[in-house]
Structures are given as C-alpha cells and as structure tokens.
Amino acid sequence: MRALVLEEKLKLSLRDIDLPLDLGPRDVKIAIHTVGVCGSDVHYYTHGRIGPFVVNAPMVLGHEAAGTVVEIGAEVKSLKVGDRVCMEPGIPDLTSKASKLGIYNVDPSVTFWATPPVHGCLTPYVVFPEAFTYKLPENVSFAEGAMVEPFAIGMQAAAKARIVPGDTALVIGAGPIGIMVALAALAGGCSRVYVSDLVNEKLAIAGQYDGIVPVNIRETDLKARIAADTDDWGVDIVFEASGSPRAYDGIFNFVRPGGTIVFVGLPVEPIALDIVAASAKEVKMETVFRYANVFDRALSLIASGKVDLKPLITGVYSFEDSIAAFERAASGNPNDVKLQITLG
C-alpha cells in the first residue's frame, strides 16, 4: 500500500510499503478517511527522535485517525461493516501489571502508532483491535473523529487535576494540546480558564470559546494578572502544556496554596524544578503521558455538542499532498492549530 513514510530525519516519501493486514478474530479492517497531523509526528520529522524513541528505520506516520470498517473478524461483536469509527492508537498488553491497575498508557510493552519502531496509520487501510476501536455517533464527522485522540490528552489532564466545579485554571501554551486541555477543563467544571502564550493568532483561536481568557505574556505580566483576578490567591490548577523549559521558571507563582499543577508538555531536555517553592505551598503535582480509560468519554463529550473542536481545524490536505501538510506543520504557521489529511 501507499503510505506517508518518514525515511529519516527531514526526509518524507509517499510510496508503497509492505504493511501487515492479517485479520485476527477480534480485529477489524478499517479504510482510513481522515488523519490529523500531530506535534509528535512533526517532531519525528524535524528531529528524528523524541526522548528515547528514535527513528532508526523507515516509519509510517500518523496516529490521529477515523475511518470506516470494511471487514470484521469472526469474533467481533460490537462493530459491523460500514460503521464509521475512530481508533485509540495505543495497544497495551492486557495481561500486564499496568493494564490490571488501569494505567495501560504506561504499560512498557504498549505499541503505539507512529512511535518507533511501530508504523502509523497514514495509509489507506489498517487492521486494528475491536477493543480499541470506537463507533462514531451519526452527528460526529470523520474530521471530529480524528480529533478524539488529541482531545483525550486534555481529558486525561483534566482527570488528573481532580477538578472541583467552579475551579479556576491556567493553561500555559495555546498549541493544539493546550487548547484541548482548556476545553476539557471547562467541560470538567472549571468556571474560567486562562490560556497564556506568545502568539496572538493562537490566542485569538482559543479566545473564541466562552470561559477561556487569552493572555499574551509579551504584553501582559501573567503573574500580576492572575494575582489581580484572584485577590492574590492564585488559580486552583495550572496545566503546563507548552513543553518549553522557560515555562517552569516561576510556575509555582501562579497556583494557590494547596493547588495542583499538571505537567502535560514534554520538554526535549531535562529541566530544573523549584521544589522549595512547591513545598512552601504544598502544591500537588501530576504528570500526563497519553491517556487511559477516557477515549470513549472524550468521544461522548464531542458528540454531546458541549465541546466543539471544529474551529481548531485550520487546514485540510489530500493524501497526495501529505508531504506539503507536514512541511506546513513544521513551518510553525501562527494561524494553524490542527492540520488534517483526508484519504477518503
């Protein structure tokens, strides 16, 4: 099959590649319709690695996907041919200790689309387990279905924050994940969510949503703004979603005593963290790595209409123009949030 293949750092090809399509009894074969371009895909393209995950051989990109079931295994019960679906791209070992604890996202043996050496889904067909394939409601488009995966990260962050209705929050970073986190926090009960960034275009997109307060930190002192709005108390929750080392400098200034910081962004290099500042406020700290047990709930929120992700789709490319989509994503266009590639 043709696929978008990362041959090596900074080299993409749209070419034929042998990919397994053997259908097990509990698997479904899916015709891919829409695939989102994720920041991790772009990072593999531009850097050839993310932490310990290194591209040492050609790899098909893509892990945010929706499509149509075209064949089912003999024991599949919840899906049928013709169903429109989205897929949770990480497949754990269901017998592992992590899976039994309900934290299968950190199962060391998980296979995750487009994470070396596992191929992704930017190809016309994939075979995938029924257990991690979700039927799309009629009112959810393929484009929205392909957004469930990144929104699930926001859902994981909101769950880790243990939001109490009426909480206030700050999200550092107005990229795709930052905005997803802000929307999940609002859906989880936050009354107001500040989103900080350096780029006005991205802040303008975030500011379209009721309950989100965009703050450009080039123009506004974020600490002073938070202090003024909270009577010098601080927000209940801070979500760090930028991955920038600079974001950690003074991060404890924004959160109230006894509040929570959730680390979502992944810095490329190790960073310093002021543990004394955290201890002085007894700040609770949580981390996020992908997601577990939230994918279906993310889909349900989108289907309910309470979370509208359509404004975040800022460009759509055909499969034949996949390389151009990645080149645009790598260019850092300030008006872009989420680019998608359509195969259907």
Side-chain angles (χ1 to χ4, degrees):
M1 292 186 299
R2 280 169 68 75
L4 182 66
V5 181
L6 177 60
E7 308 286 1
E8 59 187 41
K9 176 182 172 181
L10 296 175
K11 184 179 180 182
L12 290 169
S13 298
L14 194 59
R15 64 171 175 87
D16 287 337
I17 185 172
D18 289 330
L19 296 172
L21 286 176
D22 298 327
L23 192 70
R26 296 183 179 178
D27 294 335
V28 293
K29 184 178 179 181
I30 301 156
I32 297 295
H33 185 283
T34 302
V35 178
V37 178
C38 178
S40 65
D41 295 318
V42 176
H43 203 84
Y44 282 126
Y45 168 49
T46 57
H47 292 77
R49 67 182 299 156
I50 297 177
F53 302 105
V54 181
V55 179
N56 290 318
M59 180 182 74
V60 177
L61 292 172
H63 64 264
E64 304 174 2
T68 303
V69 175
V70 294
E71 188 177 351
I72 63 173
E75 298 177 15
V76 171
K77 297 179 179 179
S78 65
L79 297 167
K80 64 183 185 300
V81 172
D83 283 344
R84 299 180 316 114
V85 295
C86 62
M87 292 73 78
E88 183 173 352
I91 306 172
D93 173 3
L94 296 180
T95 68
S96 71
K97 288 184 178 180
S99 293
K100 291 176 179 178
L101 287 170
I103 51 173
Y104 59 84
N105 54 315
V106 292
D107 176 4
S109 63
V110 70
T111 59
F112 198 94
W113 272 343
T115 301
V118 181
H119 288 303
C121 60
L122 261 166
T123 189
Y125 296 96
V126 298
V127 169
F128 209 66
E130 173 193 18
F132 292 90
T133 303
Y134 302 85
K135 183 178 178 179
L136 296 179
E138 289 185 5
N139 66 325
V140 176
S141 66
F142 285 117
E144 292 170 294
M147 296 279 273
V148 176
E149 196 279 337
F151 184 57
I153 297 173
M155 292 283 288
Q156 181 81 353
K160 285 294 194 79
R162 299 178 181 86
I163 295 168
V164 174
D167 275 352
T168 57
L170 164 67
V171 177
I172 300 173
I177 296 302
I179 297 176
M180 301 279 190
V181 168
L183 293 175
L186 286 172
C190 280
S191 59
R192 183 171 67 255
V193 180
Y194 298 89
V195 175
S196 67
D197 204 287
L198 300 166
V199 182
N200 277 324
E201 291 86 348
K202 294 189 183 299
L203 289 168
I205 293 170
Q208 295 178 67
Y209 292 97
D210 291 339
I212 291 181
V213 181
V215 181
N216 188 319
I217 57 174
R218 290 191 196 277
E219 304 167 357
T220 302
D221 184 320
L222 182 60
K223 179 183 176 182
R225 174 64 187 274
I226 296 294
D229 287 358
T230 62
D231 294 327
D232 288 324
W233 181 238
V235 295
D236 300 289
I237 305 157
V238 174
F239 298 95
E240 201 306 291
S242 71
S244 169
R246 290 176 295 176
Y248 294 83
D249 185 19
I251 194 170
F252 298 105
N253 291 329
F254 309 125
V255 67
R256 67 166 174 83
T260 301
I261 293 184
V262 183
F263 296 106
V264 186
L266 299 177
V268 175
E269 301 293 339
I271 54 91
L273 200 60
D274 189 346
I275 297 300
V276 173
S279 297
K281 288 185 171 181
E282 288 201 346
V283 173
K284 296 178 285 291
M285 290 182 276
E286 294 281 357
T287 56
V288 168
F289 186 68
R290 298 172 181 158
Y291 36 76
N293 306 304
V294 299
F295 213 85
D296 52 347
R297 289 188 290 159
L299 176 56
S300 294
L301 266 176
I302 294 168
S304 74
K306 293 181 179 179
V307 174
D308 181 10
L309 302 180
K310 294 186 291 294
L312 305 183
I313 301 170
T314 50
V316 180
Y317 285 75
S318 71
F319 184 44
E320 293 302 315
D321 291 328
S322 296
I323 295 175
F326 270 79
E327 289 173 344
R328 173 172 164 179
S331 73
N333 184 335
N335 292 295
D336 281 338
V337 178
K338 176 59 63 177
L339 302 179
Q340 292 186 331
I341 296 168
T342 58
L343 291 81

